[in-house]
Amino acid sequence: MHSLNTEITNISSVKKDPRPRPQPLTIFPRGWFVIACSDALPPRKVLSLKYFGRQLVLWRTASGVPLLADAYCPHLGADLGHGGKVIDELLRCPFHGFCFDASGVCVSTPYPKSTPPKRAQLVTWPVVERGSFIFTYFDPEGSLPSWELPVLDESHYTPLRSQSWLMSGHPQDILENSVDFGHLTELHGYSTLPHATVSTNGPLLRADATIERPGTLFTRAGTTAKYQSFVWGLGVSYVDVHVAAQDLVLRLYVLVTPVIPGQVELWLAVKLKRLRNRHRVHPLLSLIPQRLCETFILRQAFKAYVTDVQKDFPVWQNKVYIEIPLLAQGDGPIPVYRRWARQFYGELK
Ligand code: FES
Ligand SMILES: [Fe+2]
């Protein structure tokens, strides 16, 4: 019979296991990331945000310009996201009333005969508004954007339907789904693996696939759908889905923004291309007015999309990053994605 002490001595003398233990990804990649939906920020609204491990303030001026800055006032440190007010084109601090313009410069104080301190300036971030979302560019060194997000013509689409979730995970792991064709049958119940081509061009990765679905909106019959995925950096992606049999075109967004290391906010959103032949979706829909029909289909499509992507949530929230994955025939072009993703880390080449 060994004593407890003897056993502890024996365990500590065992040789260390040299095999590496993979860990979750935690570094913030460089690039464009969504920070809000446009309709969450009407003119004069101020929002307190936390992304990239920073406390931020997002506001929209009276004339409609969205602006983002580090939240803390350079005067005495108040958080402008908590009580800051938009006065025309300026943001006014709730603590002593210093006012900041669109470039972050303090242009006035409420003190009589006082000019603003010379170096009083907010640290501002690049902001663009595209397709009902507001985006910022994150660079760990604070460098300016080295590429631009595309401007999409969405004039023939319905308004957006969207929802966001705060969760454990990393943008690179989540957007790897765009090329991880192997998981579609196991996790999502697709009947076959897609025929797909993948290409990269700078910050854009594009995947084109034809996928057999076991059923789609309003039909249980198997349907063929064409998927065109566009992944802009490690934060912004959308898929144009075309179901030819129903003359249905949907734009499905997956947008991921780092919050703190190991935590992200994930947005799922859907737009529907205005219907040209609603009877092709279902014969009964021709009896319903066009707009009502679109609202109904958009709601159903969003519900189905969220249900589908939520199957990925437990994997994303608990996985580790296998740097050299043990791939098998049938896996998607994950090495292509991983090589492309490297450009969003470290030094700019
Ligand atoms: S802390 Fe902002 S004006 Fe004083
Ligand atoms: Fe998935």
Side-chain angles (χ1 to χ4, degrees), residues 177 183-184 187-188 312 316:
N177 249 244
H183 86 297
L184 296 176
L187 194 68
H188 295 286
D312 289 296
W316 291 339

Side-chain angles (χ1 to χ4, degrees), residues 72-80 92-100 106 108-111 122:
Y72 300 115
C73 179
H75 177 221
L76 279 163
D79 184 334
L80 292 152
R92 184 181 176 108
C93 178
F95 202 4
H96 310 90
F98 287 24
C99 286
F100 301 88
C106 180
S108 69
T109 78
Y111 305 143
L122 300 174

Side-chain angles (χ1 to χ4, degrees), residues 16-219:
K16 213 177 137 207
D17 184 345
R19 288 172 300 179
R21 293 295 196 279
Q23 299 293 322
L25 283 170
T26 51
I27 303 167
F28 302 148
R30 177 196 305 120
W32 290 98
F33 296 92
V34 68
I35 48 168
C37 288
S38 295
D39 60 7
L41 193 74
R44 297 190 174 81
K45 177 93 179 175
V46 180
L47 291 176
S48 167
L49 304 180
K50 183 163 189 176
Y51 294 114
F52 319 105
R54 275 99 161 150
Q55 202 61 37
L56 303 167
V57 58
L58 174 69
W59 71 102
R60 197 189 286 279
T61 67
S63 71
V65 182
L67 296 164
L68 180 72
D70 282 3
Y72 300 115
C73 179
H75 177 221
L76 279 163
D79 184 334
L80 292 152
H82 292 269
K85 283 201 169 47
V86 172
I87 312 292
D88 299 325
E89 298 306 290
L90 303 180
L91 179 65
R92 184 181 176 108
C93 178
F95 202 4
H96 310 90
F98 287 24
C99 286
F100 301 88
D101 70 9
S103 63
V105 172
C106 180
V107 290
S108 69
T109 78
Y111 305 143
K113 297 180 199 156
S114 164
T115 52
K118 267 205 184 80
R119 285 181 291 111
Q121 184 167 3
L122 300 174
V123 177
T124 54
W125 293 58
V127 175
V128 296
E129 198 160 17
R130 299 267 199 276
S132 322
F133 288 108
I134 300 170
F135 298 91
T136 193
Y137 187 88
F138 171 78
D139 182 289
E141 315 297 327
S143 298
L144 290 172
S146 55
W147 52 280
E148 295 299 328
L149 279 177
V151 180
L152 304 175
D153 176 14
E154 296 191 322
S155 54
H156 300 300
Y157 282 80
T158 61
L160 194 72
R161 202 171 176 94
S162 72
Q163 191 178 339
S164 77
W165 293 259
L166 211 55
M167 61 170 71
S168 305
H170 190 274
Q172 182 178 323
D173 274 338
I174 292 175
L175 293 189
E176 194 167 273
N177 249 244
S178 317
V179 296
D180 184 345
F181 303 132
H183 86 297
L184 296 176
T185 48
E186 180 68 23
L187 194 68
H188 295 286
Y190 289 27
S191 45
T192 54
L193 290 176
H195 307 287
T197 56
V198 172
S199 61
T200 60
N201 182 9
L204 171 66
L205 179 141
R206 188 174 162 171
D208 291 81
T210 305
I211 300 179
E212 296 287 336
R213 297 302 313 266
T216 184
L217 285 177
F218 314 113
T219 167

